[in-house]
Every structure is written in C-alpha cells, then in structure tokens.
Amino acid sequence: PKRPRMSIHGGIELPGHPDPENVRKLDLLPIPQIRRMMRMGVGIDKEWLWNLGSKLESLKVELKKEISSYVPPNKLEEFVASSSDELDLNVDSAEQVGRLLFEMLGIGSGMQLKRTKSGKRVSTGKKQLETLKRDHPVVGLILQYREASKLNNSYTDMLPEIARLHPRGGECGVCGQPHQQDHWRKHTQILTTRTDTGRLASKGPNLQNIPIRTTLGR
C-alpha cells in the first residue's frame, strides 16, 4: 500500500519516495538563518588572541633551538649562514627538515617512505611524520613546531586583523542589532552547496577548521 505523505516543518513532506521538490525545499529552508549567522558573525577576543600569539612565537623559538640541537656535530656547517656563526636551521623549510631527518639522522631507514609528487625527495608531510614520531624525539618536536606555526599564522595573527567592530549602541551598522558594549566579530561566508554530504562549509576564513584535537589547538 502507498504510504501517506507526512508534513513536517516548513511545508516539507516525507512522501516515501525520492522527490526533487522536497530536496529543493530542504536546501532553501535554512537560508534565512544562515544569512543571519553571516551578518552576526562570530565573536573573538582580540587581546586574548594577541597574547596567545606571543606565547606561540616564544614556543616556536624554544622548539627551534631544541630541534637544532639534534643536528649531528659533523654536519653543523651545512646549517650555518655564511654571514654568521649561528646555526640557521629553517624548520619551516620542508627540504631542510627532510635533509635533517632522513639524510643526517637516518630516520625511517629501511622503510618504504612516501616521496613528494616530483619524486625528488622524501615527504615530510604530517601523516608521514606521525608514523615516524616514535622513531626519534625530533620528529615530535617538528610536529609541535608546525602546529604552533599554523595556529599563529592562521588564527592568532590573522583573526584580529580581519575582525569587524560591532559598536555599542542602538542599531549596529554591521548586524543591525543593539549592543551593550563594543565588541569584535569575524564574519565568514557559510556555504550550503560545497560538500557532497550536505553539511555546511565555511570560507574567508574557514572557521570550521580550527583544530581542537590537541591541547594547543583547544
């Protein structure tokens, strides 16, 4: 027997069979709420982010020193700048990190390691380093450095610079709502058609991609 049509919120019905019109209504239903979300933005604490950014910069300096301490003594000259006697290992350089890990320290020796697309060198991508971090303590330090650098560049430095002021007073010129005090908010573009699964996506910046799985990310 044919199933009865069931009406739910927004005039959407569950007819018991595929229905393009039903899909269209489902896609359009959240648009007004999404527009309000983009207009309101997401509140941020600029001072807190700046303070965290300073801590991340200090952490990067300490991690770089510790990573540099693993350069073999007989290879130090390869990382010394011509204009200085100080060790100048660039931890942000995938090529230098790869040379330290795979050529100088021999990490992953005997393993089938993934190479870059060009095939010219062994990859230092996150997934590969995660599989090697138990082989040598320097690998974990490099992963920590990269995380701190990513958080600093993508969030603590950038978000305060691109946030918009929602001023105290009656009708806010940005979001149209009254505010008890001045505050800063970041406005992202929320996308409804970017993903195959139908979930929302975000860009400019991507506020759905802030890492929370690590202590530093949280």
Side-chain angles (χ1 to χ4, degrees), residues 56-140:
L56 290 173
E57 284 291 351
S58 298
L59 176 61
K60 286 171 61 180
V61 171
E62 293 304 315
L63 286 170
K64 181 178 179 179
K65 289 180 181 178
E66 199 168 350
I67 292 166
S68 299
S69 70
Y70 285 98
V71 177
N74 61 330
K75 300 290 185 178
L76 290 175
E77 69 279 1
E78 295 189 30
F79 292 113
V80 173
S82 56
S83 59
S84 171
D85 291 332
E86 295 183 2
L87 194 63
D88 193 30
L89 171 64
N90 182 4
V91 187
D92 293 302
S93 166
E95 182 178 352
Q96 288 195 24
V97 167
R99 196 157 78 246
L100 171 64
L101 298 182
F102 307 121
E103 296 178 19
M104 297 181 180
L105 299 177
I107 297 172
S109 179
M111 297 174 60
Q112 189 172 358
L113 299 175
K114 182 180 179 181
R115 302 189 70 84
T116 58
K117 289 183 178 180
S118 65
K120 293 181 179 179
R121 58 181 177 80
V122 180
S123 170
T124 62
K126 182 179 179 180
K127 288 185 177 180
Q128 178 138 285
L129 293 191
E130 287 285 354
T131 65
L132 299 171
K133 65 182 180 181
R134 293 185 178 179
D135 293 0
H136 197 287
V138 73
V139 179

Coordinates of all heavy atoms in Angstrom, one line a residue, residues 56-140:
L56 N 52.8 31.6 21.4 CA 53.2 30.7 20.4 C 54.5 31.0 19.7 O 55.3 30.2 19.4 CB 52.1 30.7 19.3 CG 50.7 30.0 19.7 CD1 49.7 30.3 18.7 CD2 50.9 28.6 20.0
E57 N 54.8 32.3 19.6 CA 56.1 32.8 19.0 C 57.2 32.3 19.9 O 58.3 31.9 19.4 CB 56.1 34.3 18.8 CG 55.3 34.8 17.6 CD 55.9 34.4 16.3 OE1 57.1 33.8 16.3 OE2 55.2 34.5 15.2
S58 N 57.0 32.5 21.2 CA 58.1 32.1 22.2 C 58.3 30.6 22.1 O 59.4 30.1 22.2 CB 57.7 32.5 23.6 OG 57.6 33.9 23.7
L59 N 57.2 29.9 22.0 CA 57.2 28.4 21.9 C 58.0 28.0 20.7 O 58.8 27.1 20.7 CB 55.8 27.8 21.9 CG 55.7 26.3 21.7 CD1 56.4 25.6 22.9 CD2 54.3 25.8 21.7
K60 N 57.8 28.6 19.6 CA 58.4 28.3 18.3 C 60.0 28.5 18.4 O 60.8 27.7 17.9 CB 57.9 29.2 17.2 CG 56.5 28.7 16.7 CD 55.9 29.8 15.7 CE 56.8 29.9 14.5 NZ 56.2 30.9 13.5
V61 N 60.4 29.6 19.1 CA 61.8 29.9 19.3 C 62.4 28.7 20.1 O 63.5 28.2 19.8 CB 62.0 31.2 20.0 CG1 63.5 31.4 20.4 CG2 61.5 32.4 19.1
E62 N 61.8 28.3 21.2 CA 62.3 27.2 22.0 C 62.3 25.9 21.3 O 63.3 25.2 21.4 CB 61.5 27.1 23.3 CG 61.5 28.3 24.3 CD 63.0 28.6 24.7 OE1 63.7 27.6 25.0 OE2 63.4 29.8 24.7
L63 N 61.3 25.6 20.5 CA 61.3 24.4 19.8 C 62.4 24.4 18.7 O 63.0 23.3 18.5 CB 59.9 24.2 19.1 CG 58.8 23.8 20.1 CD1 57.4 23.9 19.4 CD2 59.0 22.4 20.6
K64 N 62.6 25.5 18.1 CA 63.6 25.6 17.0 C 65.0 25.3 17.6 O 65.8 24.6 17.0 CB 63.6 26.9 16.4 CG 64.7 27.0 15.3 CD 64.6 28.4 14.6 CE 65.7 28.5 13.5 NZ 65.7 29.8 12.8
K65 N 65.3 25.8 18.8 CA 66.5 25.6 19.5 C 66.7 24.1 19.8 O 67.8 23.5 19.6 CB 66.6 26.4 20.8 CG 66.8 27.9 20.6 CD 66.9 28.6 22.0 CE 67.0 30.1 21.8 NZ 67.0 30.7 23.1
E66 N 65.6 23.5 20.3 CA 65.7 22.0 20.6 C 65.9 21.2 19.4 O 66.6 20.2 19.4 CB 64.4 21.6 21.4 CG 64.6 20.4 22.2 CD 63.4 20.1 23.2 OE1 62.6 21.1 23.4 OE2 63.3 19.0 23.7
I67 N 65.1 21.5 18.3 CA 65.3 20.8 17.1 C 66.7 20.9 16.5 O 67.3 19.9 16.1 CB 64.2 21.3 16.0 CG1 62.8 20.9 16.5 CG2 64.5 20.7 14.7 CD1 61.7 21.6 15.7
S68 N 67.2 22.1 16.6 CA 68.6 22.4 16.1 C 69.6 21.6 16.8 O 70.7 21.2 16.3 CB 68.9 23.8 16.1 OG 68.0 24.6 15.3
S69 N 69.4 21.3 18.1 CA 70.3 20.5 18.9 C 70.6 19.1 18.4 O 71.5 18.5 18.8 CB 69.9 20.5 20.4 OG 68.8 19.7 20.6
Y70 N 69.7 18.6 17.6 CA 69.8 17.3 17.0 C 70.6 17.2 15.8 O 70.8 16.1 15.2 CB 68.4 16.6 16.8 CG 67.7 16.2 18.1 CD1 66.8 17.1 18.7 CD2 68.0 15.0 18.7 CE1 66.1 16.7 19.9 CE2 67.4 14.6 19.9 CZ 66.5 15.5 20.5 OH 65.8 15.1 21.6
V71 N 71.0 18.4 15.3 CA 71.9 18.3 14.1 C 73.3 17.7 14.5 O 73.9 18.1 15.4 CB 72.2 19.8 13.5 CG1 73.1 19.7 12.4 CG2 70.8 20.4 13.1
P72 N 73.7 16.6 13.8 CA 75.0 16.0 14.1 C 76.1 17.0 14.1 O 76.2 17.8 13.2 CB 75.1 14.9 13.0 CG 73.7 14.6 12.6 CD 73.0 16.0 12.7
P73 N 77.0 16.9 15.1 CA 78.2 17.9 15.1 C 79.0 18.0 13.8 O 79.4 19.0 13.4 CB 79.0 17.3 16.3 CG 78.1 16.6 17.1 CD 77.1 16.0 16.2
N74 N 79.1 16.8 13.1 CA 79.9 16.9 11.9 C 79.1 17.4 10.7 O 79.6 17.5 9.6 CB 80.4 15.4 11.6 CG 79.2 14.5 11.3 OD1 78.2 14.6 11.9 ND2 79.5 13.5 10.5
K75 N 77.8 17.8 10.9 CA 77.0 18.4 9.9 C 76.6 19.8 10.1 O 75.9 20.4 9.4 CB 75.7 17.5 9.7 CG 76.0 16.1 9.3 CD 76.5 15.9 7.9 CE 76.6 14.5 7.5 NZ 77.1 14.3 6.1
L76 N 77.1 20.4 11.2 CA 76.7 21.7 11.6 C 77.0 22.8 10.6 O 76.2 23.7 10.4 CB 77.5 22.1 12.9 CG 77.1 21.4 14.2 CD1 78.0 21.8 15.3 CD2 75.6 21.7 14.5
E77 N 78.1 22.6 9.8 CA 78.4 23.6 8.8 C 77.4 23.8 7.7 O 77.3 24.8 7.1 CB 79.8 23.3 8.2 CG 79.9 22.1 7.3 CD 80.1 20.8 8.1 OE1 80.1 20.9 9.4 OE2 80.1 19.7 7.5
E78 N 76.6 22.7 7.5 CA 75.6 22.8 6.5 C 74.4 23.7 6.8 O 73.7 24.1 5.9 CB 75.1 21.4 6.2 CG 76.1 20.4 5.6 CD 75.5 19.1 5.1 OE1 74.3 19.1 4.7 OE2 76.2 18.1 5.2
F79 N 74.3 24.0 8.1 CA 73.2 24.9 8.5 C 73.7 26.2 9.1 O 73.0 26.8 9.9 CB 72.3 24.1 9.6 CG 71.6 23.0 9.0 CD1 71.8 21.7 9.3 CD2 70.5 23.2 8.1 CE1 71.1 20.6 8.8 CE2 69.8 22.2 7.5 CZ 70.1 20.9 7.9
V80 N 74.9 26.5 8.9 CA 75.5 27.8 9.4 C 75.4 28.8 8.2 O 76.0 28.6 7.2 CB 76.9 27.6 9.9 CG1 77.5 29.0 10.3 CG2 76.9 26.7 11.1
A81 N 74.8 30.0 8.5 CA 74.7 31.0 7.5 C 76.1 31.6 7.2 O 76.9 31.7 8.1 CB 73.8 32.1 7.9
S82 N 76.4 32.0 6.0 CA 77.7 32.5 5.6 C 78.1 33.8 6.3 O 79.2 34.1 6.6 CB 77.8 32.7 4.1 OG 76.7 33.6 3.7
S83 N 77.0 34.5 6.7 CA 77.3 35.8 7.4 C 77.3 35.7 8.9 O 77.4 36.7 9.6 CB 76.2 36.8 6.9 OG 74.9 36.4 7.3
S84 N 77.2 34.5 9.4 CA 77.1 34.4 10.9 C 77.6 33.0 11.3 O 77.7 32.1 10.5 CB 75.6 34.6 11.3 OG 75.5 34.2 12.7
D85 N 78.0 32.9 12.5 CA 78.4 31.7 13.1 C 77.3 30.9 13.7 O 77.5 29.8 14.3 CB 79.6 31.9 14.1 CG 80.8 32.4 13.4 OD1 81.0 32.0 12.2 OD2 81.6 33.1 14.1
E86 N 76.1 31.5 13.8 CA 75.0 30.9 14.4 C 74.3 29.8 13.5 O 74.3 30.0 12.3 CB 73.9 31.9 14.8 CG 74.4 32.9 15.9 CD 73.3 33.9 16.3 OE1 72.2 33.8 15.8 OE2 73.6 34.8 17.1
L87 N 73.8 28.8 14.2 CA 73.1 27.7 13.4 C 71.8 28.3 12.8 O 71.0 29.0 13.5 CB 72.7 26.6 14.4 CG 72.3 25.3 13.7 CD1 73.5 24.7 12.9 CD2 71.9 24.2 14.8
D88 N 71.6 28.1 11.5 CA 70.5 28.7 10.8 C 69.6 27.6 10.2 O 69.3 27.7 9.0 CB 71.0 29.7 9.8 CG 69.9 30.6 9.2 OD1 69.0 30.9 10.0 OD2 70.0 30.9 8.0
L89 N 69.2 26.7 11.0 CA 68.3 25.6 10.5 C 66.9 26.3 10.4 O 66.3 26.8 11.3 CB 68.2 24.5 11.5 CG 67.1 23.4 11.2 CD1 67.4 22.7 9.9 CD2 67.1 22.4 12.4
N90 N 66.3 26.2 9.2 CA 65.0 26.7 8.9 C 63.9 25.6 9.1 O 63.8 24.8 8.2 CB 64.9 27.3 7.5 CG 63.6 27.9 7.2 OD1 62.7 28.0 8.1 ND2 63.4 28.4 6.0
V91 N 63.3 25.6 10.2 CA 62.3 24.5 10.5 C 61.1 24.6 9.6 O 60.3 23.6 9.4 CB 61.9 24.5 12.0 CG1 61.1 23.3 12.3 CG2 63.1 24.5 12.9
D92 N 60.8 25.8 9.0 CA 59.7 26.0 8.1 C 60.0 25.4 6.7 O 59.1 25.3 5.9 CB 59.3 27.4 8.0 CG 58.8 28.0 9.3 OD1 57.8 27.4 9.8 OD2 59.3 28.9 9.8
S93 N 61.3 25.0 6.5 CA 61.7 24.5 5.1 C 61.5 23.0 5.1 O 62.3 22.3 5.8 CB 63.1 24.9 4.8 OG 63.6 24.2 3.7
A94 N 60.6 22.5 4.3 CA 60.4 21.0 4.2 C 61.7 20.4 3.7 O 62.0 19.2 4.1 CB 59.3 20.7 3.3
E95 N 62.4 21.1 2.8 CA 63.7 20.5 2.3 C 64.7 20.3 3.4 O 65.4 19.3 3.5 CB 64.2 21.4 1.2 CG 65.4 20.8 0.5 CD 65.9 21.7 -0.6 OE1 65.2 22.7 -1.0 OE2 67.0 21.4 -1.2
Q96 N 64.9 21.4 4.2 CA 65.9 21.3 5.3 C 65.5 20.2 6.3 O 66.3 19.5 6.8 CB 66.1 22.6 5.9 CG 66.9 23.6 5.0 CD 67.4 24.8 5.8 OE1 67.6 24.8 7.0 NE2 67.6 25.9 5.1
V97 N 64.2 20.2 6.7 CA 63.7 19.2 7.6 C 63.9 17.8 7.1 O 64.4 16.9 7.8 CB 62.3 19.5 8.0 CG1 61.7 18.3 8.7 CG2 62.1 20.8 8.8
G98 N 63.7 17.6 5.8 CA 63.9 16.3 5.2 C 65.3 15.9 5.2 O 65.6 14.7 5.5
R99 N 66.2 16.8 5.0 CA 67.6 16.5 5.0 C 68.1 16.1 6.4 O 68.9 15.2 6.5 CB 68.4 17.7 4.5 CG 69.9 17.4 4.1 CD 70.5 18.3 3.1 NE 70.9 19.6 3.8 CZ 70.3 20.8 3.6 NH1 69.3 20.9 2.7 NH2 70.8 21.8 4.2
L100 N 67.6 16.9 7.4 CA 68.0 16.5 8.8 C 67.4 15.1 9.2 O 68.2 14.3 9.7 CB 67.4 17.6 9.7 CG 67.5 17.3 11.2 CD1 69.0 17.2 11.6 CD2 66.8 18.3 12.0
L101 N 66.2 14.9 8.9 CA 65.5 13.6 9.3 C 66.1 12.4 8.6 O 66.4 11.4 9.2 CB 64.0 13.7 9.2 CG 63.3 14.8 10.0 CD1 61.8 14.7 9.7 CD2 63.6 14.7 11.5
F102 N 66.1 12.5 7.3 CA 66.3 11.3 6.5 C 67.7 11.1 6.1 O 68.2 9.9 5.9 CB 65.4 11.3 5.3 CG 63.9 11.5 5.7 CD1 63.2 12.6 5.2 CD2 63.3 10.6 6.5 CE1 61.9 12.8 5.5 CE2 61.9 10.8 6.9 CZ 61.2 11.9 6.4
E103 N 68.5 12.2 5.9 CA 69.9 12.0 5.4 C 70.8 12.0 6.6 O 71.7 11.2 6.7 CB 70.2 13.1 4.4 CG 69.4 13.1 3.1 CD 69.8 14.2 2.2 OE1 70.8 14.9 2.4 OE2 69.0 14.5 1.3
M104 N 70.7 13.0 7.5 CA 71.6 13.1 8.6 C 71.3 12.2 9.8 O 72.3 11.6 10.4 CB 71.6 14.6 9.1 CG 72.1 15.6 8.1 SD 72.1 17.2 8.7 CE 72.7 18.1 7.3
L105 N 70.0 12.0 10.1 CA 69.7 11.2 11.3 C 69.3 9.8 10.9 O 69.1 8.9 11.7 CB 68.6 11.8 12.1 CG 68.9 13.2 12.7 CD1 67.7 13.8 13.4 CD2 70.1 13.1 13.7
G106 N 69.0 9.6 9.6 CA 68.7 8.2 9.1 C 67.3 7.7 9.6 O 67.1 6.5 9.7
I107 N 66.4 8.6 9.9 CA 65.1 8.2 10.4 C 64.3 7.5 9.3 O 64.3 8.0 8.2 CB 64.3 9.4 11.0 CG1 65.0 10.0 12.2 CG2 62.9 9.0 11.3 CD1 64.5 11.3 12.7
G108 N 63.7 6.4 9.6 CA 62.9 5.7 8.6 C 63.8 4.8 7.6 O 63.3 4.3 6.6
S109 N 65.0 4.7 8.0 CA 65.9 3.9 7.1 C 65.4 2.4 7.0 O 65.0 1.8 8.0 CB 67.3 3.8 7.8 OG 68.2 3.1 7.0
G110 N 65.3 1.9 5.8 CA 64.8 0.6 5.6 C 63.3 0.5 5.4 O 62.8 -0.5 5.0
M111 N 62.6 1.6 5.6 CA 61.2 1.7 5.4 C 60.8 2.2 4.0 O 61.6 2.9 3.4 CB 60.5 2.6 6.5 CG 60.7 2.1 7.9 SD 60.1 3.3 9.1 CE 58.3 3.3 8.6
Q112 N 59.7 1.9 3.5 CA 59.2 2.4 2.3 C 58.5 3.7 2.5 O 57.3 3.8 2.8 CB 58.3 1.4 1.6 CG 57.9 1.8 0.1 CD 57.2 0.8 -0.6 OE1 56.9 -0.3 -0.1 NE2 56.8 1.0 -1.8
L113 N 59.2 4.8 2.5 CA 58.7 6.1 2.8 C 58.1 6.8 1.6 O 58.5 6.6 0.4 CB 59.8 7.0 3.4 CG 60.5 6.5 4.7 CD1 61.6 7.4 5.0 CD2 59.4 6.5 5.8
K114 N 57.0 7.6 1.8 CA 56.3 8.3 0.8 C 57.2 9.5 0.3 O 57.9 10.1 1.1 CB 55.0 8.9 1.3 CG 54.2 9.6 0.3 CD 52.9 10.1 0.9 CE 52.1 10.9 -0.2 NZ 50.8 11.4 0.4
R115 N 57.2 9.7 -1.0 CA 58.0 10.8 -1.6 C 57.1 11.9 -2.1 O 55.9 11.7 -2.1 CB 58.9 10.2 -2.7 CG 59.8 9.1 -2.3 CD 60.8 8.8 -3.4 NE 61.8 9.8 -3.6 CZ 62.9 9.9 -2.9 NH1 63.2 9.0 -2.0 NH2 63.7 10.8 -3.2
T116 N 57.7 13.0 -2.3 CA 56.9 14.2 -2.9 C 56.4 13.8 -4.3 O 56.8 12.9 -4.9 CB 57.8 15.4 -2.9 OG1 58.9 15.2 -3.7 CG2 58.3 15.8 -1.5
K117 N 55.5 14.7 -4.8 CA 54.9 14.4 -6.1 C 56.0 14.4 -7.2 O 55.9 13.6 -8.1 CB 53.9 15.5 -6.5 CG 52.6 15.3 -5.6 CD 51.6 16.4 -6.1 CE 50.3 16.2 -5.3 NZ 49.2 17.2 -5.7
S118 N 57.0 15.2 -7.1 CA 58.1 15.2 -8.1 C 59.0 14.0 -7.9 O 59.7 13.6 -8.9 CB 58.9 16.5 -7.9 OG 59.6 16.5 -6.6
G119 N 58.9 13.4 -6.7 CA 59.8 12.2 -6.5 C 61.2 12.5 -6.2 O 62.0 11.6 -6.0
K120 N 61.5 13.8 -6.0 CA 62.9 14.3 -5.8 C 63.4 14.0 -4.4 O 64.5 13.9 -4.1 CB 63.1 15.7 -6.2 CG 62.9 16.0 -7.7 CD 63.1 17.4 -8.0 CE 63.0 17.7 -9.5 NZ 63.2 19.1 -9.9
R121 N 62.4 14.1 -3.4 CA 62.8 13.9 -2.0 C 61.7 13.2 -1.2 O 60.6 13.1 -1.7 CB 63.1 15.3 -1.4 CG 62.0 16.2 -1.4 CD 62.4 17.6 -0.8 NE 61.3 18.6 -0.8 CZ 60.3 18.6 0.0 NH1 60.2 17.7 1.0 NH2 59.4 19.5 -0.1
V122 N 62.1 12.7 -0.1 CA 61.2 12.1 0.8 C 60.2 13.1 1.4 O 60.6 14.2 1.8 CB 61.9 11.3 2.0 CG1 60.9 10.6 2.9 CG2 62.8 10.3 1.4
S123 N 58.9 12.8 1.5 CA 57.9 13.7 2.0 C 58.1 13.9 3.5 O 58.4 13.0 4.3 CB 56.5 13.2 1.7 OG 55.5 13.9 2.4
T124 N 57.9 15.2 3.9 CA 57.8 15.5 5.4 C 56.4 15.9 5.8 O 56.2 16.6 6.7 CB 58.8 16.6 5.7 OG1 58.4 17.8 5.0 CG2 60.2 16.3 5.3
G125 N 55.4 15.4 5.0 CA 54.1 15.7 5.4 C 53.7 15.1 6.7 O 54.3 14.3 7.3
K126 N 52.6 15.7 7.3 CA 52.1 15.4 8.6 C 51.9 13.9 8.8 O 52.3 13.3 9.8 CB 50.9 16.2 9.0 CG 50.4 15.9 10.4 CD 49.2 16.8 10.7 CE 48.7 16.5 12.2 NZ 47.5 17.3 12.5
K127 N 51.2 13.3 7.9 CA 50.8 11.8 8.0 C 52.1 11.0 8.1 O 52.2 10.1 8.9 CB 50.0 11.4 6.9 CG 48.6 11.9 6.9 CD 47.7 11.3 5.8 CE 46.3 11.8 5.9 NZ 45.4 11.3 4.8
Q128 N 53.1 11.3 7.3 CA 54.3 10.5 7.3 C 55.1 10.7 8.6 O 55.6 9.8 9.3 CB 55.2 10.8 6.1 CG 56.5 10.1 6.1 CD 56.9 9.6 4.8 OE1 56.4 8.7 4.3 NE2 57.9 10.3 4.2
L129 N 55.2 12.0 9.1 CA 55.9 12.3 10.3 C 55.2 11.6 11.5 O 55.8 11.2 12.5 CB 56.0 13.8 10.5 CG 56.9 14.5 9.5 CD1 57.2 15.9 10.0 CD2 58.2 13.8 9.3
E130 N 53.8 11.6 11.5 CA 53.1 10.9 12.6 C 53.5 9.5 12.7 O 53.6 8.9 13.8 CB 51.6 11.1 12.3 CG 51.0 12.5 12.6 CD 50.9 12.8 14.0 OE1 51.2 12.0 14.9 OE2 50.6 14.0 14.3
T131 N 53.7 8.8 11.6 CA 54.1 7.4 11.6 C 55.6 7.2 12.1 O 55.9 6.1 12.5 CB 54.0 6.7 10.2 OG1 54.9 7.3 9.3 CG2 52.6 6.9 9.7
L132 N 56.4 8.3 12.1 CA 57.8 8.2 12.5 C 58.1 8.8 13.8 O 59.3 8.7 14.2 CB 58.6 8.9 11.4 CG 58.6 8.3 10.0 CD1 59.3 9.2 9.0 CD2 59.2 6.9 9.9
K133 N 57.1 9.4 14.5 CA 57.5 10.2 15.7 C 58.0 9.3 16.8 O 58.6 9.8 17.8 CB 56.3 11.0 16.1 CG 55.1 10.3 16.6 CD 54.0 11.3 16.9 CE 52.7 10.6 17.4 NZ 51.6 11.6 17.7
R134 N 57.7 8.0 16.8 CA 58.2 7.1 17.9 C 59.7 6.7 17.6 O 60.3 6.1 18.4 CB 57.3 5.9 18.0 CG 55.9 6.2 18.6 CD 55.2 4.9 18.8 NE 53.8 5.2 19.4 CZ 52.9 4.3 19.7 NH1 53.2 3.0 19.5 NH2 51.8 4.6 20.2
D135 N 60.1 6.9 16.3 CA 61.5 6.5 16.0 C 62.5 7.5 16.5 O 63.7 7.1 16.6 CB 61.6 6.4 14.4 CG 60.7 5.3 13.9 OD1 60.0 4.6 14.7 OD2 60.7 5.1 12.6
H136 N 62.2 8.7 16.7 CA 63.2 9.7 17.1 C 62.4 10.9 17.7 O 61.4 11.4 17.2 CB 64.0 10.2 15.9 CG 65.3 10.9 16.3 ND1 65.3 12.1 16.9 CD2 66.6 10.4 16.3 CE1 66.6 12.5 17.1 NE2 67.4 11.5 16.7
P137 N 62.9 11.4 18.9 CA 62.2 12.6 19.5 C 62.1 13.8 18.7 O 61.2 14.6 18.9 CB 63.0 12.8 20.8 CG 64.3 12.1 20.6 CD 64.0 11.0 19.6
V138 N 63.0 14.0 17.8 CA 63.0 15.3 17.0 C 61.8 15.4 16.1 O 61.3 16.5 15.8 CB 64.3 15.4 16.1 CG1 64.3 14.5 15.0 CG2 64.4 16.9 15.7
V139 N 61.2 14.2 15.7 CA 60.0 14.2 14.9 C 58.8 14.9 15.6 O 58.1 15.7 15.0 CB 59.7 12.8 14.4 CG1 58.4 12.8 13.5 CG2 60.8 12.2 13.6
G140 N 58.6 14.5 16.8 CA 57.6 15.1 17.6 C 57.7 16.6 17.8 O 56.8 17.3 17.8

